[in-house]
Amino acid sequence: MSTSPQANPLSEPVPQLDLTAQYAAIGAEIRTAVERVLASQQFVLGREGAALEAEIANLCGVAHGVGVASGTDALILALRACGVRACDEVLVPTFTFVATGSAVSALGAKPVFADIRPETYNLDPAELERRVTLRTRAIVVVHLYGLAADMEPILAFAKARQLPVIEDNAQAIGASYKGRRTGSLGDAACISFYPTKNLGAYGDAGMVVTNSPQLAERIRTLRNHGQAAKYLSSEPGWNSRLDEIQAAILRVKLRHLSNWQRARQSHAAEYSRLLTQTPGVMSPIAPEGYEHVYHQYTIRIERRDALQKFLGERKIGSTVYYPYPLHLQPLYASLGHNAGDFPHSERAAQEVLSLPMYPELRREQIARVVEYINDFITH
Ligand SMILES: Cc1ncc(COP(=O)(O)O)c(C=O)c1O
């Protein structure tokens, strides 16, 4: 029998994400869908995009979906449609992907950062009162790693101040909060179909979903050069359209999403079950009434960098989402923040580690990852 590293399951790498396993399973369906678009020769704003908009809106439990070029564009367009303009302030959590803040900056507005709750990594609702000013024009809430933020107090605060709430639902499509899907909780929600997301395209794509016909119409206009009617522009927009090939691919993948979601949840349960015996490691939590979709399975450990190195040497992939909170990014140096301003976010940035997570992950791979973590802890 061969003893080469490839043949030995103990030395087989476990990547943090393996999209090739998914393509192997659904490649034939995808190719049929792409062929259909090629045969139609309709590539922009056609039937596939319209059908995807209806299907994603339905999944989120809202009336409208507007396909756009990326999750970042979805944020920029939603903020703009909600009335955010240059010099306005927008409240955003500091522990997130940079796009949440840079979408605000793209409009010439100022992101005003807020800290997170350490146990969920999501916006701490108590922070809103501390950070709001007379210039605050909107709130962006991120559902990080696939877990909804605590929306009830956030929505109550926003209602009292008459501020629109935009959900950054880039990582949490299919998740729910107290019986309602993420994407249906705020005034508008932004989805990213970046290839690594739970529902990922084969390139960039995104969508805004909303119950408001006015917001949907405005975003439809803005994504297409501000044209309210053909060749008649009423305001400056740009080209941010989701193309038909991506839409057709996403429609195929959407049919598998609930199965993939269940697989992710079952992997997460297995990780958490095995890690209960591991001292010093905090597993992700899903509070009562929240359905977590585990875009990431993110643990927390004090010696994070050493663990990541240890795992890497054993061919176990892991990623730090995110090593720098937004207030400490060079991009936002001019805002004058210092280390210590948002302690929960800063600590999370030093301690979080996302382990291998994708639907096709196998039980023995999960067991191996946890065994190595245990080895690290006990040595
Ligand atoms: C939380 C969050 N917001 C926004 C984005 C931006 O989405 P996109 O890459 O599709 O522009 C992403 C993903 O990249 C994200 O994870």
Side-chain angles (χ1 to χ4, degrees), residues 69-75 95-101 103 140-145 168-172 190-197 203-207 295 321-322:
S70 68
T72 306
D73 271 10
L75 283 165
F95 190 61
T96 178
F97 180 59
V98 68
T100 316
V140 180
V141 181
V142 182
H143 306 310
L144 202 70
Y145 303 147
D168 180 339
N169 199 28
Q171 301 190 3
C190 303
I191 298 168
S192 166
F193 300 120
Y194 185 74
T196 59
K197 296 293 193 272
D204 278 306
M207 194 173 288
H295 173 54
Y321 300 109
Y322 296 94

Side-chain angles (χ1 to χ4, degrees), residues 55-169:
E55 288 164 8
I56 297 289
N58 183 48
L59 170 78
C60 294
V62 297
H64 309 280
V66 186
V68 297
S70 68
T72 306
D73 271 10
L75 283 165
I76 296 172
L77 290 164
L79 285 160
R80 190 163 152 199
C82 283
V84 172
R85 285 181 302 202
C87 304
D88 288 340
E89 293 182 358
V90 178
L91 295 168
V92 287
T94 184
F95 190 61
T96 178
F97 180 59
V98 68
T100 316
S102 61
V104 174
S105 310
L107 294 170
K110 176 181 166 190
V112 172
F113 300 121
D115 211 350
I116 55 165
R117 281 188 179 155
E119 69 285 0
T120 62
Y121 310 107
N122 280 325
L123 181 67
D124 178 357
E127 278 280 274
L128 298 173
E129 191 67 66
R130 289 179 208 128
R131 312 281 169 195
V132 72
T133 75
L134 289 174
R135 283 190 297 279
T136 307
R137 193 61 194 258
I139 302 170
V140 180
V141 181
V142 182
H143 306 310
L144 202 70
Y145 303 147
L147 177 72
D150 188 3
M151 292 301 288
E152 260 172 16
I154 295 169
L155 293 171
F157 176 87
K159 193 169 172 200
R161 305 265 176 168
Q162 294 185 304
L163 293 170
V165 174
I166 294 162
E167 297 170 71
D168 180 339
N169 199 28

Side-chain angles (χ1 to χ4, degrees), residues 209-286:
V209 291
T210 178
N211 265 322
S212 157
Q214 292 81 14
L215 283 180
E217 208 36 55
R218 182 95 199 281
I219 294 164
R220 269 183 215 292
T221 305
L222 289 172
R223 76 168 172 184
N224 198 17
H225 302 291
Q227 296 178 94
K230 200 165 187 192
Y231 301 130
L232 188 68
S233 290
S234 47
E235 59 179 324
W238 65 95
N239 171 357
S240 182
R241 300 175 301 232
L242 190 162
D243 74 72
E244 290 287 286
I245 290 181
Q246 297 306 339
I249 291 168
L250 287 164
R251 292 184 67 208
V252 170
K253 293 181 78 172
L254 184 56
R255 297 202 289 265
H256 298 276
L257 186 66
S258 60
N259 282 341
W260 290 338
Q261 189 166 306
R262 274 194 292 279
R264 286 176 183 274
Q265 289 165 338
S266 142
H267 300 334
E270 180 66 358
Y271 268 126
S272 296
R273 185 180 73 78
L274 296 174
L275 283 167
T276 46
Q277 306 302 326
T278 310
V281 171
M282 187 181 123
S283 295
I285 59 151

